[in-house]
Amino acid sequence: MQFVAGQYDVIVIGAGHAGVEAALAAARMGEKTLLATLSMDNIALMPCNPSVGGPAKGHLVREVDALGGEMGVNADRTCIQFRMLNTGKGPAVHALRAQADKKLYQFTMKETCENTENLDVKQILITDLLLEDLPADARKTQAGGEGSGDAPVFAPKKRVKGVVVETGEVYLAPAIIMATGTYLKGRIIIGEHTYSGGPNGQRPAMKFSESLAKAGIRLMRFKTGTPARVDARTLDYDKMQLQPGDEEARNFSFMSDITTREQVPCYLTYTNEATHKILRDNMDRAPMANGIIEGVGPRYCPSIETKILRFPDKDRHQLFLEPEGLHTNEVYVQGMSTSMPMDVQIAFLHTIPGLEHAHVMRAGYAIEYDCIDPTQLKPSLEFKDIRGFFSAGQANGTSGYEEAAAQGLIAGINAVEFLRGEAPVILRRSDAYIGVLIDDLVTKGTHEPYRMMTSRAEYRLLLRQDNADMRLTPIGRRVDLVTDARWDRFLQKKAAIEDALAALQGATLTPSTAQNAALEEVGIAPIHSACTAYDLLKRTEVHYEQLRTALPDLPALTQEVETQVEIQSRYEGYIKKQMEQVARMERLESKRIPENINYADVPSLRDEAREKLAAIRPASLGQASRISGVSPADVSVLAVWLEQQRRR
Ligand SMILES: Cc1cc2nc3c(=O)[nH]c(=O)nc-3n(C[C@H](O)[C@H](O)[C@H](O)COP(=O)(O)OP(=O)(O)OC[C@H]3O[C@@H](n4cnc5c(N)ncnc54)[C@H](O)[C@@H]3O)c2cc1C
């Protein structure tokens, strides 16, 4: 029997990496929020790699933090090794990666959720979404979003009302966010053995998919996989290469000042021909090859059996042995994701140097699950056809804790802006990796689990991990998510950067003997014509502290501010060029497309373009230009037609 058990402003279905960010954001912005999860003990569970960050993912963590999200702070408090990757390359691809103590990460996030005002956390299984007809007068107005001017309107016929729990409770709310991850119709596959289940032996959510389909939502079937966990006591680390953390203290959050941490190492080893032979000899028993697996897997996170098939000439694949925490012997074999039968898994593990006697504590497995086609969403992550219903995370076809957290945060913010009747926060591709992520999903869709990579961001020199706060903290402040402490810190840093740049640009140097002697004394090559200290800092071999030794009037700076000043001076030309590219794209972005456009009325559009445009309903010519199958010529045709309509 169903009964109304509670009324909320926002309900978040799922307490994974997306759900916790969404719920914390909504509650911190003042809304009465319910966070539902299948297991209170698995809030912010890391069912796969025990790590946060890395290339592009580290950028997302910083952006979530800059907007007032939780992942960065939680990672700084619970991670057990930090490394800055790609330091040999330009700042655009520098990326922080940290090894997490999974249980500590989970329980710290659980504690934060349980102690957040306005937030209730419940272990409940939601089976149904409750919808109601939108009254006729509510079917029109819906603002388009930050920076989008008079955007078009979407005219859904339904709106959310609440959710039903398997035990009969009904919870009501005008805004609902689904962040159901890898649980919808979850199916576990280990060789020939398959069963319905969620990650780490949890229950799946078998009914909610039907409720979504009944609401007219298109679903996809995806798959992902994870490697075995082995017992550290049975490993021979002498046969592997040590991978220690950085000595220099690192943090994800712009609010963290942690300078010392107990760090644990990872270890590097490799597969070999013996490993590959076992896999080749048993490929007919591989579920991803013999049809047992139907879901589509991640191209950029392939299983070991897929690697053997995809790279037959490669004589070895690197594996990282990553500790899962300080208080466990479980070790994650990164690079060895598999759903091979157990006898095969044990056999190929024992061919690897250092794992000859490894005991498997948890089997590698694949999981298939339902997710939605994200082209059904607006850039605000609200469904185009159901008012007040948002979606975030793996449920949108992505893969990764960081991708999930980024979407969860935006969905949480926009659910509240929706309730406030405000325009949603829509980050552009030139604002943030989060903007690239969401724009790719809602404009291009995805046919496999989408993973963020730096190569996806055309403006990556602007979207560095070091300046995420300068790009996004003001937006977080505008929606009341950035606290006073974070705002003050941001303003101080911003002022320090501006003052330092002004001081550098104001410090004029002349090629006098005394001046050049002072420069040479600190290892800076002499100057031959008058210049500013700012110009000198453009030299890649010149560093701010060095310059300040020669020019003591320059202000003392924190490491963070120094990094900003050095990058802004050294990459000024490239940054300027990229800003010009952004300005050119902005012109297309600002050209709005009316919602009620009928593409059949636009003469000389190619059929494929007409079809794609009608399906995606892009908000601007900029978004239209990114739809696969819509050519630049189609965009020009559309631009001319829109201009003619406007003049009429
Ligand atoms: C086996 C496996 C391997 C993976 N491998 C990788 C990888 O190699 N690389 C990578 O980047 N990512 C990988 N991932 C993905 C990564 O775990 C996810 O991207 C991330 O956890 C997604 O976060 P999320 O918040 O969207 O969903 P999840 O973390 O899956 O959380 C979903 C939440 O929804 C809840 N829930 C679901 N349905 C209901 C319901 N009906 N009622 C109430 N609560 C519900 C669950 O209890 C859970 O709290 C893997 C995941 C799994 C399971």
Side-chain angles (χ1 to χ4, degrees):
M1 185 200 73
Q2 292 184 3
F3 64 98
V4 175
Q7 170 76 49
Y8 288 89
D9 301 314
V10 179
I11 294 175
V12 180
I13 310 172
H17 304 277
V20 291
E21 294 295 344
L24 287 170
R28 287 168 175 169
M29 291 166 75
E31 303 298 332
K32 192 163 175 277
T33 303
L34 169 63
L35 177 58
T37 178
L38 294 171
S39 160
M40 288 294 292
D41 303 317
N42 284 308
I43 290 173
L45 171 73
M46 293 175 152
C48 192
N49 48 320
S51 67
V52 177
K57 290 170 177 275
H59 295 68
L60 289 172
V61 180
R62 281 257 159 112
E63 293 179 356
V64 164
D65 182 72
L67 283 164
E70 191 64 21
M71 183 176 242
V73 173
N74 203 66
D76 291 343
R77 294 170 63 191
T78 62
C79 285
I80 51 179
Q81 190 206 78
F82 284 72
R83 295 182 70 180
M84 188 66 81
L85 307 181
N86 297 334
T87 48
K89 301 179 182 162
V93 290
H94 289 183
L96 188 57
R97 186 178 189 277
Q99 296 299 130
D101 180 314
K102 284 186 173 183
K103 284 298 164 210
L104 202 52
Y105 187 96
Q106 279 180 244
F107 291 145
T108 306
M109 190 65 92
K110 180 174 184 278
E111 188 186 10
T112 302
C113 290
E114 289 178 2
N115 294 295
T116 295
E117 209 186 328
N118 297 324
L119 182 54
D120 291 346
V121 189
K122 290 182 190 293
Q123 179 167 312
I124 49 177
L125 189 153
I126 290 168
T127 55
D128 281 284
L129 183 67
L130 293 177
L131 300 178
E132 62 186 0
D133 290 340
L134 257 182
D137 61 347
R139 287 191 183 184
K140 275 208 77 51
T141 54
Q142 172 81 19
E146 162 131 346
S148 59
D150 54 346
V153 292
F154 291 88
K157 299 184 181 48
K158 297 269 183 199
R159 67 179 171 198
V160 290
K161 190 174 143 201
V163 293
V164 181
V165 177
E166 65 172 346
T167 38
E169 303 97 297
V170 170
Y171 292 101
L172 303 174
I176 295 175
I177 302 169
M178 70 174 269
T180 48
T182 56
Y183 292 75
L184 297 192
K185 285 216 167 76
R187 179 172 167 251
I188 305 294
I189 300 118
I190 306 173
E192 297 84 7
H193 181 57
T194 71
Y195 59 93
S196 294
N200 289 35
Q202 292 183 82
R203 306 172 62 185
M206 296 308 284
K207 289 211 178 111
F208 196 62
S209 292
E210 272 112 40
S211 180
L212 294 174
K214 218 168 61 203
I217 293 172
R218 293 190 304 280
L219 296 173
M220 305 187 291
R221 191 81 175 147
F222 277 6
K223 160 260 177 194
T224 188
T226 196
R229 297 346 183 236
V230 292
D231 188 331
R233 296 169 302 170
T234 64
L235 303 179
D236 182 353
Y237 289 121
D238 295 341
K239 292 186 178 159
M240 308 180 201
Q241 289 164 35
L242 184 74
Q243 296 275 320
D246 290 349
E247 272 163 35
E248 187 182 339
R250 309 272 188 196
N251 288 297
F252 277 109
S253 176
F254 293 97
M255 294 303 285
S256 298
D257 300 312
I258 301 170
T259 51
T260 54
R261 279 188 190 90
E262 179 193 348
Q263 296 208 74
V264 295
C266 297
Y267 291 84
L268 173 61
T269 185
Y270 296 88
T271 63
N272 50 49
E273 182 41 33
T275 323
H276 302 174
K277 181 168 183 337
I278 290 173
L279 284 155
R280 280 194 303 270
D281 293 352
N282 289 281
M283 205 50 82
D284 60 326
R285 300 175 61 202
M288 46 61 68
N290 62 18
I292 291 179
I293 287 178
E294 292 146 12
V296 183
R299 178 198 313 269
Y300 299 106
C301 219
S303 63
I304 186 67
E305 45 267 37
T306 304
K307 288 180 195 173
I308 299 299
L309 290 177
R310 205 182 284 170
F311 314 105
D313 309 327
K314 216 163 179 237
D315 58 8
R316 67 180 190 165
H317 294 276
Q318 73 177 14
L319 306 173
F320 287 97
L321 281 290
E322 303 181 6
E324 296 237 326
L326 295 175
H327 308 288
T328 173
N329 289 329
E330 288 193 68
V331 173
Y332 174 90
V333 188
Q334 203 264 0
M336 209 66 172
S337 169
T338 183
S339 56
M340 274 291 201
M342 273 321 288
D343 58 316
V344 180
Q345 290 196 33
I346 294 169
F348 69 53
L349 282 170
H350 288 172
T351 64
I352 295 161
L355 280 80
E356 293 84 352
H357 309 290
H359 283 188
V360 174
M361 297 176 89
R362 296 180 203 237
Y365 67 92
I367 183 166
E368 276 182 352
Y369 55 94
D370 285 352
C371 57
I372 66 143
D373 170 357
T375 60
Q376 299 168 99
L377 303 173
K378 293 186 274 189
S380 61
L381 294 182
E382 185 187 16
F383 280 90
K384 289 171 183 167
D385 297 330
I386 304 177
R387 177 72 48 81
F389 191 35
F390 297 76
S391 182
Q394 193 106 0
N396 288 352
T398 59
S399 188
Y401 313 138
E402 305 80 359
E403 289 85 345
Q407 293 167 68
L409 183 66
I410 295 297
I413 291 172
N414 286 338
V416 176
E417 295 297 275
F418 161 74
L419 294 174
R420 291 175 176 174
E422 298 287 340
V425 169
I426 295 174
L427 299 174
R428 296 164 298 184
R429 301 180 72 88
S430 53
D431 293 329
Y433 272 85
I434 299 176
V436 174
L437 167 64
I438 294 176
D439 182 66
D440 280 351
L441 290 175
V442 303
T443 304
K444 300 174 186 161
T446 183
H447 302 295
E448 59 183 66
Y450 175 106
R451 183 193 164 109
M452 182 45 82
M453 297 178 288
T454 49
S455 56
R456 294 189 192 276
E458 60 272 32
Y459 308 122
R460 55 185 165 276
L461 184 57
L462 305 180
L463 309 184
R464 304 181 315 274
Q465 54 150 20
D466 58 73
N467 70 352
D469 53 347
M470 295 300 139
R471 294 183 276 120
L472 301 174
T473 297
I475 297 174
R477 182 68 173 175
R478 187 182 67 71
V479 297
D480 310 324
L481 196 49
V482 162
T483 60
D484 293 348
R486 184 182 286 272
W487 188 239
D488 295 347
R489 192 167 178 140
F490 164 79
L491 292 176
Q492 275 166 26
K493 180 178 169 185
K494 191 165 179 291
I497 294 169
E498 287 159 3
D499 294 350
L501 289 170
L504 285 162
Q505 279 146 357
T508 308
L509 291 76
T510 54
S512 65
T513 317
Q515 181 65 76
N516 277 332
L519 292 176
E520 282 179 286
E521 204 179 320
V522 293
I524 298 177
I527 56 175
H528 304 295
S529 57
C531 68
T532 66
Y534 181 80
D535 299 329
L536 261 189
L537 201 50
K538 286 180 184 301
R539 296 184 187 172
T540 44
E541 74 283 4
V542 175
H543 294 285
Y544 184 82
E545 260 319 297
Q546 219 182 345
L547 208 48
R548 201 168 76 85
T549 316
L551 308 164
D553 294 345
L554 290 176
L557 304 177
T558 63
Q559 182 55 55
E560 268 191 320
V561 174
E562 196 178 300
T563 304
Q564 284 309 307
V565 166
E566 286 186 354
I567 291 174
Q568 289 189 30
S569 58
R570 201 160 293 153
Y571 293 86
E572 184 184 29
Y574 301 106
I575 291 173
K576 206 154 155 281
K577 211 182 271 133
Q578 214 148 75
M579 297 292 273
E580 285 157 9
Q581 288 167 350
V582 170
R584 275 197 298 281
M585 196 53 198
E586 272 311 304
R587 279 195 283 281
L588 265 188
E589 290 298 340
S590 63
K591 290 261 182 317
R592 318 304 309 171
I593 301 176
E595 155 61 16
N596 53 8
I597 186 171
N598 181 352
Y599 288 101
D601 300 343
V602 184
S604 53
L605 256 187
R606 288 175 317 106
D607 290 350
E608 184 197 5
R610 205 185 297 280
E611 223 177 277
K612 290 279 176 68
L613 290 165
I616 303 287
R617 291 188 269 161
S620 69
L621 282 180
Q623 192 185 3
S625 69
R626 292 189 292 277
I627 297 173
S628 56
V630 176
S631 70
D634 297 314
V635 174
S636 319
V637 164
L638 190 52
V640 171
W641 187 83
L642 286 171
E643 188 52 27
Q644 287 165 345
Q645 303 309 306
R646 200 182 61 74
R647 291 227 182 103
R648 270 213 204 114

